[in-house]
Amino acid sequence: MALPFLPGNSFDKNLGKTKYHLSHHFDYANETAMMVGAEKPGIGGEALLGQKYKARNTVFPKGDGSNLPSWVAFDRQVLSFDAFYQEAVHEKREEQYRVRKCKIYFYLEDDSIQVLEPRLKNAGIPQGTLIRRHRIPRPPPNEDEFYTAEDFNIGSEINLYSKVFKITDCDQFTQNFLRKMGTNVQRPDKPPEDPYMKYRKAMDESMQPLRPYEKFDTLKQFLDHDRHVLRFYCHWDDSDNMFGDPREMVLHYYLADDTVEIREVIPPNSGRDAVPVFLKRSRLPKDPGSLPQPGVVTDRTVLNVFGPTGAGGRYILDSLKTGAVNNEYYTDKDLSLGAVLSVWGRKFIICDCDNFTKEYYKTKYGVEHMTSVNVSCADALASEAPRQMPPYNGFGSEEDSLCSCKGLLPKPPKRDFIKFMECDRRGLNSNVLRFLARMDTKKPIDQDRRFIISYFLADDTILVFEPPVRNSGIIGGKFLERSRIKKPGNMRYSTELSEYYSASDLFVGACVDFNNFKFILIDADEYAFQYMENHQGQFVRSNIDYVLQKLAAKLGPNKEDVRAFFAKTDPSGSGFLPYEKFRELALNIEPSLSEQEVMTVARQYSDRCNDVVLDTEKLMAIMQEELRKRNFEGFGTLISAFRHLDKNCCGALDRETIRKEFIAQHVPLSDDMLRAALSVAKTAENNNEAICYEDFLNGLNWRDFPVPPVQYQAVGGGADSWCGTKPSNQVTTVHYEPLLQRIFGESTSA
């Protein structure tokens, strides 16, 4: 009875089959038809009748793991086996064979094998990698197959290139892996002992030397003090020899190995060749003596006790060190300031050392103070004679002529660039001190002339300008070009540089001589007074403490006379004196006081409440006009930025923050104008350093809050723009009560 042709009832093997390709069993090799694929499958990759596959790689049992390829699943997983092989030794009496222990590594990712032999001390045979990592074929007649993981087990023998390795043990990972593959892992076994190695071990243990080897441990010293060097400055007097002179040396002591190196300090134009080192780095003996013959100085002494050296000879090390030469060398404990060292017959005096050396001796030896030794002329140290320069020849400046004498290639004199950058004009700080002066002369025409003397702090130059006066008959303008001015009394052609007027030589009341024109300084501008008062160390006459000490020293116990004078001058008891009366009293007390010192005290205790620095309305009008010309309208962006920076929402920010934000927003205003506006802007109630930014921006907003334009012209820019202190800035009255309280140290009433 035939089965119906339904799915599952048919015996056709090709049902559902999709691969029908044929394997290439026959082909041409070297132009000869032959069978090339005896082990290849049949149609569609199916095995032929009676055909069996030979596994070319390790077959791992299928489990619940992933289906990743072996080179991914077994990456960095290695089977480690302990093995040995026996090697015959021919033509040697001491041994007949060797047992060589090794390690076999089987890499699971590609079935490659590597054999390593651990290195033994004094083995005498090449060890290390015996077989490099690769797939190893089986021995004939199965040389077409390779070793797999199933071939390895404890107790099995593996033939690798005619060397039979017997596996004795493996690690824990290898045992677990073999058990998971279904391999019955045997018990580990011990490899046999090598008779010759056993004999050598017994011989080494039986050896008892008469004296242990001396061990010189220098590694610890090197590791502790590597790159640690003591530096001493030494002096060597070589004046007794022909053409000898005192010489300066630098001694370096290396703590890593107790060696010494000496270098010579060669001054310029000394006539000596610059050698790399005076004494090369080595240990410095205290008493060198004569040079020994080669082989005399050794670390150990060998005694030959039997027979010639070589065949059957015997020798021992001399424990008593008979005939040894013991040389004493300088160490760090022998080096101290003032000590005299014998450097191969030359006497060196240690004069000084660096800070690291002082700290080292303080830490190790407890030396707190190391005083430098000054070698005087009595100790044969010739002092260096001062260098004589030729006199000034009158061509160019003195500094320029001096530079031509210092080298073969003349160079221009160097300017003090740091001073120039610090004292150059920056913003509203001009760094120019201006004084009002008159001529010290008896000519009636010249007595009424006034001059503006400007001192530039950047380069110490002086400019003298005469303001023009109408109907005076004298043409004003530059009286003296800007330049450095020499003090009177300097020799014209001298070997020494001339002295020039400095900033401390100019003060109110001083008499100066500019190229035979004598001037008396009678006044200074407000910036000059403030600059001199801020730099009291440079300008002594503007130091209020110094002036008050002079007054207090002259007054002494005459307090009643001072009170009587103030009561007579101020009968109303207001506490204020006119400046002229105060000046008369100060000069009566101390006639040596200068006008500058009197004005310093008067300015300190004056009542100048009418000082006007800037006109706020005019300044805002100028800034609005500047923004209008540049068509700037980004006030909304500025107010948003200021509100973002105002973390406390108090409506005020400091001046520097507002200035930086103006620069970041590219507001077309000069930095000087912006600083001036911020200095007079409205401040917060609780903080004088914070500016109300909304009011400040409203004053600049020419769109919403315009101000009437004003006509203005720049003032204070040149030397002719100032002709004396304005009446509003002059000192008119002096508050004498706090002055007397500071001088006498008590409260005083008129």
Side-chain angles (χ1 to χ4, degrees):
M1 177 179 175
L3 295 175
F5 190 71
L6 295 175
N9 295 336
S10 176
F11 297 97
D12 190 1
K13 296 181 180 180
N14 294 329
L15 188 62
K17 190 175 182 179
T18 57
K19 296 182 179 180
Y20 295 94
H21 62 274
L22 296 176
S23 299
H24 205 182
H25 291 264
F26 302 94
D27 201 351
Y28 285 89
N30 296 328
E31 299 181 356
T32 302
M34 59 186 301
M35 185 175 181
V36 297
E39 297 181 358
K40 292 186 177 181
I43 298 175
E46 294 183 356
L48 298 176
L49 186 62
Q51 186 180 21
K52 295 182 179 179
Y53 289 133
K54 294 182 179 180
R56 303 185 62 86
N57 295 296
T58 303
V59 178
F60 299 101
K62 294 183 179 181
D64 298 335
S66 60
N67 294 326
L68 295 175
S70 60
W71 57 272
V72 176
F74 300 111
D75 184 25
R76 300 183 182 182
Q77 296 187 13
V78 185
L79 303 182
S80 176
F81 299 93
D82 296 334
F84 74 93
Y85 71 97
Q86 185 172 323
E87 182 181 28
V89 178
H90 306 283
E91 299 179 357
K92 193 172 183 180
R93 182 182 60 183
E94 289 82 2
E95 55 178 340
Q96 287 76 31
Y97 66 92
R98 298 191 185 101
V99 177
R100 303 181 63 175
K101 302 176 183 179
C102 54
K103 283 276 189 179
I104 300 178
Y105 296 105
F106 185 87
Y107 294 86
L108 296 172
E109 55 181 325
D110 55 357
D111 292 349
S112 57
I113 301 174
Q114 182 182 13
V115 181
L116 301 177
E117 182 179 5
R119 298 181 184 274
L120 298 179
K121 185 178 180 180
N122 297 329
I125 54 178
Q127 295 174 325
T129 303
L130 298 183
I131 301 177
R132 290 180 295 179
R133 177 182 173 182
H134 66 287
R135 297 192 68 187
I136 300 178
R138 298 176 185 270
N142 299 321
E143 63 270 11
D144 57 340
E145 299 179 6
F146 297 93
Y147 281 105
T148 60
E150 293 87 350
D151 300 323
F152 290 86
N153 195 359
I154 296 178
S156 60
E157 295 182 354
I158 307 296
N159 189 343
L160 304 179
Y161 297 117
S162 301
K163 288 185 178 180
V164 180
F165 295 84
K166 183 166 183 178
I167 301 175
T168 59
D169 199 358
C170 63
D171 59 1
Q172 189 64 35
F173 171 78
T174 305
Q175 292 184 11
N176 297 336
F177 190 86
L178 294 178
R179 287 193 180 96
K180 291 179 181 179
M181 289 183 59
T183 304
N184 185 14
V185 181
Q186 303 296 328
R187 292 184 178 180
D189 193 6
K190 293 183 179 180
E193 294 184 354
D194 190 349
Y196 179 70
M197 294 300 296
K198 184 178 180 181
Y199 165 74
R200 283 189 55 181
K201 183 178 180 181
M203 186 176 62
D204 293 341
E205 293 177 352
S206 63
M207 293 179 62
Q208 296 180 358
L210 299 180
R211 182 177 60 84
Y213 288 105
E214 294 180 354
K215 186 176 182 181
F216 300 95
D217 186 11
T218 59
L219 180 61
K220 183 180 185 301
Q221 181 182 0
F222 173 78
L223 296 178
D224 292 343
H225 298 288
D226 185 26
R227 303 177 67 87
H228 292 175
V229 183
L230 305 181
R231 177 178 295 179
F232 297 92
Y233 302 98
C234 305
H235 170 73
W236 172 40
D237 185 13
D238 194 29
S239 303
D240 296 338
N241 297 329
M242 184 179 295
F243 308 111
D245 55 355
R247 301 163 73 172
E248 301 296 329
M249 301 289 176
V250 178
L251 186 145
H252 293 156
Y253 185 87
Y254 295 86
L255 296 172
D257 52 0
D258 298 329
T259 54
V260 176
E261 177 190 70
I262 300 178
R263 294 178 178 269
E264 183 178 2
V265 180
I266 300 179
N269 299 327
S270 63
R272 297 185 179 274
D273 294 333
V275 296
V277 291
F278 183 81
L279 178 66
K280 69 177 183 179
R281 180 177 175 181
S282 60
R283 299 194 68 184
L284 183 62
K286 294 183 178 180
D287 186 12
S290 60
L291 188 65
Q293 295 294 330
V296 174
V297 180
T298 58
D299 295 336
R300 296 182 177 89
T301 304
V302 180
L303 299 179
N304 188 1
V305 297
F306 177 76
T309 303
R314 296 290 184 272
Y315 61 89
I316 62 174
L317 295 178
D318 185 10
S319 60
L320 301 178
K321 296 183 179 181
T322 305
V325 180
N326 297 322
N327 292 330
E328 293 185 6
Y329 296 93
Y330 282 105
T331 59
D332 55 349
K333 63 182 179 181
D334 301 322
L335 305 179
S336 61
L337 298 187
V340 180
L341 305 181
S342 177
V343 182
W344 297 97
R346 299 169 177 84
K347 301 299 181 182
F348 280 58
I349 302 176
I350 301 178
C351 300
D352 201 357
C353 59
D354 60 357
N355 294 330
F356 173 78
T357 306
K358 294 179 181 178
E359 189 66 26
Y360 174 80
Y361 278 90
K362 179 180 178 181
T363 304
K364 184 174 182 180
Y365 297 104
V367 180
E368 294 291 340
H369 303 286
M370 300 183 69
T371 307
S372 303
V373 178
N374 296 325
V375 182
S376 60
C377 296
D379 297 329
L381 176 62
S383 60
E384 184 179 357
R387 185 178 181 182
Q388 294 292 337
M389 291 296 177
Y392 175 53
N393 54 12
F395 293 95
S397 63
E398 295 181 359
E399 292 80 2
D400 192 9
S401 300
L402 184 61
C403 290
S404 63
C405 303
K406 293 183 177 180
L408 297 177
L409 299 177
K411 297 180 180 180
K414 294 183 179 180
R415 298 176 58 187
D416 193 348
F417 185 74
I418 298 177
K419 179 180 179 182
F420 175 78
M421 294 300 295
E422 291 179 351
C423 298
D424 193 19
R425 178 180 179 88
R426 290 181 298 176
L428 298 178
N429 296 328
S430 61
N431 287 318
V432 179
L433 307 181
R434 291 186 295 181
F435 298 89
L436 182 64
R438 65 176 178 84
M439 274 191 176
D440 186 11
T441 180
K442 295 182 180 180
K443 295 181 181 181
I445 300 177
D446 295 337
Q447 288 180 355
D448 296 333
R449 298 173 64 179
R450 294 295 180 263
F451 300 88
I452 305 299
I453 299 177
S454 301
Y455 185 88
F456 296 86
L457 297 171
D459 52 0
D460 299 328
T461 55
I462 298 176
L463 171 66
V464 181
F465 181 83
E466 183 179 7
V469 180
R470 298 182 61 183
N471 300 327
S472 63
I474 299 175
I475 301 176
K478 286 185 180 180
F479 184 82
L480 180 63
E481 194 68 35
R482 177 179 174 180
S483 61
R484 298 177 66 190
I485 301 178
K486 297 180 181 179
K487 292 183 178 181
N490 292 320
M491 295 181 61
R492 187 172 183 180
Y493 302 104
S494 175
T495 57
E496 301 293 336
L497 293 177
S498 301
E499 295 184 6
Y500 294 88
Y501 277 102
S502 61
S504 59
D505 298 326
L506 303 181
F507 55 89
V508 179
C511 183
V512 294
D513 189 350
F514 294 164
N515 300 336
N516 296 328
F517 288 94
K518 295 183 179 180
F519 297 93
I520 297 178
L521 307 184
I522 59 177
D523 198 2
D525 64 351
E526 184 66 22
Y527 178 79
F529 279 120
Q530 292 181 1
Y531 184 87
M532 290 187 289
E533 291 171 359
N534 294 333
H535 299 78
Q536 298 179 2
Q538 183 180 0
F539 303 93
V540 183
R541 292 173 177 83
S542 295
N543 190 344
I544 185 64
D545 296 331
Y546 173 74
V547 179
L548 292 181
Q549 287 178 4
K550 293 175 65 175
L551 291 175
K554 284 292 182 180
L555 287 174
N558 300 329
K559 301 179 182 180
E560 300 298 333
D561 297 341
V562 177
R563 292 193 182 97
F565 177 81
F566 281 115
K568 184 187 301 184
T569 310
D570 186 20
S572 61
S574 61
F576 293 92
L577 278 180
Y579 173 74
E580 295 299 333
K581 295 292 184 180
F582 174 77
R583 176 178 175 275
E584 180 182 353
L585 174 62
L587 294 178
N588 290 334
I589 296 174
E590 179 59 45
S592 63
L593 287 178
S594 62
E595 293 290 339
Q596 178 81 24
E597 294 173 335
V598 176
M599 296 182 69
T600 299
V601 179
R603 286 172 54 85
Q604 181 70 23
Y605 297 97
S606 63
D607 184 16
R608 297 186 300 163
C609 57
N610 297 324
D611 291 356
V612 178
V613 180
L614 291 174
D615 191 349
T616 307
E617 296 181 359
K618 184 180 292 187
L619 181 60
M620 288 299 176
I622 295 172
M623 296 177 70
Q624 282 196 8
E625 184 66 22
E626 189 71 19
L627 295 176
R628 184 185 294 107
K629 290 180 180 179
R630 301 294 185 89
N631 197 20
F632 179 79
E633 298 181 355
F635 301 103
T637 306
L638 281 174
I639 195 66
S640 300
F642 288 149
R643 288 173 179 172
H644 176 71
L645 294 174
D646 188 7
K647 304 298 183 182
N648 299 327
C649 298
C650 59
L653 293 173
D654 59 282
R655 291 182 174 86
E656 192 63 24
T657 303
I658 296 176
R659 175 178 166 271
K660 290 181 179 180
E661 190 61 31
F662 266 72
I663 297 174
Q665 297 291 341
H666 302 285
V667 180
L669 290 175
S670 63
D671 191 56
D672 297 345
M673 190 179 297
L674 182 59
R675 288 178 182 270
L678 290 174
S679 63
V680 297
K682 180 181 178 181
T683 59
E685 296 181 359
N686 300 329
N687 189 1
N688 293 331
E689 299 296 330
I691 303 298
C692 298
Y693 53 84
E694 292 189 3
D695 296 340
F696 182 70
L697 286 180
N698 292 337
L700 299 179
N701 193 344
W702 58 274
R703 279 286 189 186
D704 300 334
F705 305 97
V707 296
V710 295
Q711 297 294 332
Y712 69 95
Q713 58 181 3
V715 296
D720 56 345
S721 60
W722 177 78
C723 297
T725 304
K726 295 181 180 181
S728 59
N729 293 335
Q730 291 179 350
V731 178
T732 56
T733 58
V734 179
H735 195 192
Y736 61 83
E737 288 186 358
L739 173 61
L740 295 179
Q741 182 179 0
R742 182 170 180 180
I743 293 177
F744 297 126
E746 59 182 11
S747 60
T748 305
S749 59

